[in-house]
Amino acid sequence: MAILPIQVFPTRVLKQRAKRVKNIDGPVKRLVRDMLETMHAVPGRVGLAAPQVGVPLRVIVIGIPEEEDIVLINPEIVRRKGERVIDEGCLSLPGFFAHITRSEAVTVKGLDQNGKEVRIKAEGLLAQALEHEIDHLNGTLYIDHLDSIEKLQKVEPIETTPEEDGG
Ligand SMILES: [Zn+2]
């Protein structure tokens, strides 16, 4: 397994439509394992899409704290319900966040890493993560949902001392 470097805006791979996976073969399975390791390498990451590690394929992983990891190949949102405004950031746009509108709940279908069909009904953070990562597969970043780039806000760095970090 390997921790992969994260592609940062404005790299081209982040703006293109990723290709469908035709066969869940060895390289795709290795990609999934590496994406899971890369996602878990830094606490607080809840999802990752293959274009973010430079691979233009329709593969996402989600890791909500305290819940089992989700791997989805060729995921599709089949249903969206409601609207809510939430704060969102992205590993590929470090240092920024914005208030954006997302669905309250989504239903997503796709394949797991064994090629088995899965269907997920999600709300809250999981729904947000699914919409965010599936957006990546279509070359869409959360800033594309803003009517003005001026609505992008800077994350203020939190100053920590080594003592405070070591808990
Ligand atoms: Zn992102």
Side-chain angles (χ1 to χ4, degrees):
M1 297 216 290
I3 294 172
L4 307 170
I6 302 288
Q7 302 293 310
V8 173
F9 180 80
T11 310
R12 192 169 173 273
V13 69
L14 291 172
K15 294 303 295 172
Q16 72 191 50
R17 202 181 151 80
K19 291 197 183 80
R20 287 181 74 81
V21 173
K22 289 190 185 119
N23 297 305
I24 304 171
D25 53 11
V28 169
K29 289 187 176 177
R30 192 168 62 231
L31 171 68
V32 166
R33 286 197 301 270
D34 288 347
M35 284 173 64
L36 286 168
E37 192 180 1
T38 302
M39 176 177 69
H40 288 304
V42 175
R45 291 182 180 172
V46 295
L48 197 62
Q52 289 184 283
V53 294
V55 179
L57 285 176
R58 304 187 80 78
V59 178
I60 65 170
V61 296
I62 308 266
I64 304 289
E66 321 271 302
E67 286 180 33
E68 222 178 288
D69 289 338
I70 295 171
V71 173
L72 282 175
I73 293 164
N74 301 335
E76 271 175 62
I77 295 174
V78 292
R79 191 157 179 256
R80 289 186 153 93
K81 216 179 104 188
E83 274 191 352
R84 60 197 178 120
V85 175
I86 39 186
D87 282 350
E88 193 158 308
C90 178
L91 296 174
S92 296
L93 283 159
F96 296 93
F97 73 101
H99 309 302
I100 70 155
T101 304
R102 290 284 187 199
S103 306
E104 273 174 2
V106 294
T107 304
V108 172
K109 68 169 189 179
L111 303 174
D112 69 10
Q113 66 266 55
N114 302 311
K116 190 172 162 268
E117 253 186 66
V118 288
R119 202 177 179 88
I120 298 169
K121 282 189 174 183
E123 51 187 32
L125 182 59
L126 180 56
Q128 179 185 9
L130 286 164
E131 283 192 307
H132 181 106
E133 302 310 337
I134 293 170
D135 266 358
H136 272 303
L137 304 181
N138 298 321
T140 301
L141 298 171
Y142 76 89
I143 50 172
D144 297 321
H145 296 294
L146 299 175
D147 46 28
S148 159
I149 202 70
E150 281 157 29
K151 299 207 171 144
L152 201 58
Q153 301 183 53
K154 236 180 152 53
V155 175
E156 296 301 331
I158 302 163
E159 281 184 39
T160 53
T161 64
E163 291 77 29
E164 283 170 334
D165 255 353

